[in-house]
Amino acid sequence: MKGKVVLITGATSGIGRSCALVFGQAGAQVVITGRDEVRLAATRQELQQQGIACHAVRADVGVEADSARAVAETITAFGRLDVLINNAGISMRAMFQDADLGVIERLMQTNFFGTVYTTKFALPHILATKGSIVGISSIAGYRGLPGRTGYSASKFAMHGFLEALRTELLPQGVHVLVACPGFTASNIRQTALAADGSAQGESPRDEGKMMTSEEVAHHLLRAVQQRRRDLVLTAQGKLTVFLNKWLPGLADRLVLNHFRKEEGSPVK
């Protein structure tokens, strides 16, 4: 990663923040984005204290102009772009019949269009370096999850977009990675949207039993270095993808039962 420039969206917490630290420790110059100015400044300070060359951009990936500005500031700060990590995302926890349509729209705007916007503006620079485009997706991009219809839809859309883009870019030597961490200890469940669009505020899962965001970041670093096309993490994640491909009817029942058992689950 020495001499490489990495742009990471949604880097104020969780996997994004850990990627900034891990890629920076590997020698990369790092640009981070986020909507919360206070947390963005705190993450930038943490990177600088570790001697990592970094630049922070207050940006919402769901806003086209913000995505364009994030890429432009990356080039102004460091003169190139080698790796784009589309990490920014939000989740939901509500039955579709109860959810406001605005919840679905917000998830699509951030998770799908945020990836599209940032990738669009980054692509000329990635082409110049024959670099990497990474999408931090989810098992929900392989297997629709009850109570997460909008989230699943946004991740399926991300998968389709990046798969098509990977195929288009094969002749140009650009690497495209779709990474599915599985359940990871992060704040995405606390900030997940309820049926009315408000933040859930707490995680329904035992975060201590999940893979840490730091572990995920190390896996992502190796996957980028090896220019892998797919990355599925955790035994549960790999099993879910396998069962959904080969035994989809069984997967339907197992997934339904699993999410019914979640604390306070909206799934009946």
Side-chain angles (χ1 to χ4, degrees), residues 75 92 108 190 201 221 229:
I75 301 305
M92 67 174 289
M108 290 298 295
Q190 283 89 345
L221 174 62
R229 75 189 301 278

Side-chain angles (χ1 to χ4, degrees), residues 143 239 243-244 246-257:
R143 159 76 233 184
L239 178 62
L243 289 175
N244 198 60
W246 298 108
L247 297 167
L250 175 61
D252 284 345
R253 295 190 294 275
L254 290 175
V255 168
L256 178 63
N257 289 335

Side-chain angles (χ1 to χ4, degrees), residues 130-263:
K130 296 189 185 299
S132 297
I133 297 168
V134 180
I136 306 299
S137 185
S138 165
I139 298 305
Y142 283 101
R143 159 76 233 184
L145 304 180
R148 276 88 171 166
T149 48
Y151 184 69
S152 298
S154 68
K155 295 302 185 180
F156 267 77
M158 176 193 273
H159 277 214
F161 167 67
L162 291 175
E163 186 172 90
L165 184 65
R166 177 196 292 128
T167 309
E168 288 183 2
L169 297 176
L170 276 175
Q172 287 99 322
V174 170
H175 166 232
V176 178
L177 166 67
V178 178
C180 300
F183 285 114
T184 304
S186 72
N187 72 331
I188 193 169
R189 279 164 294 281
Q190 283 89 345
T191 58
L193 303 183
D196 62 357
S198 62
Q200 180 174 265
E202 61 182 6
S203 175
R205 295 179 169 270
D206 185 349
E207 302 281 323
K209 294 182 179 179
M210 298 180 187
M211 181 178 284
T212 67
S213 58
E214 290 78 13
E215 289 176 283
V216 173
H218 283 289
H219 282 291
L220 286 166
L221 174 62
R222 286 192 293 272
V224 169
Q225 290 170 329
Q226 297 166 3
R227 295 177 78 86
R228 291 181 57 179
R229 75 189 301 278
D230 298 294
L231 178 67
V232 178
L233 297 176
T234 77
Q236 184 185 46
K238 293 175 182 178
L239 178 62
T240 301
V241 172
F242 175 84
L243 289 175
N244 198 60
K245 181 176 182 179
W246 298 108
L247 297 167
L250 175 61
D252 284 345
R253 295 190 294 275
L254 290 175
V255 168
L256 178 63
N257 289 335
H258 177 82
F259 281 90
R260 276 174 171 166
K261 295 175 184 177
E262 200 175 59
E263 183 180 344

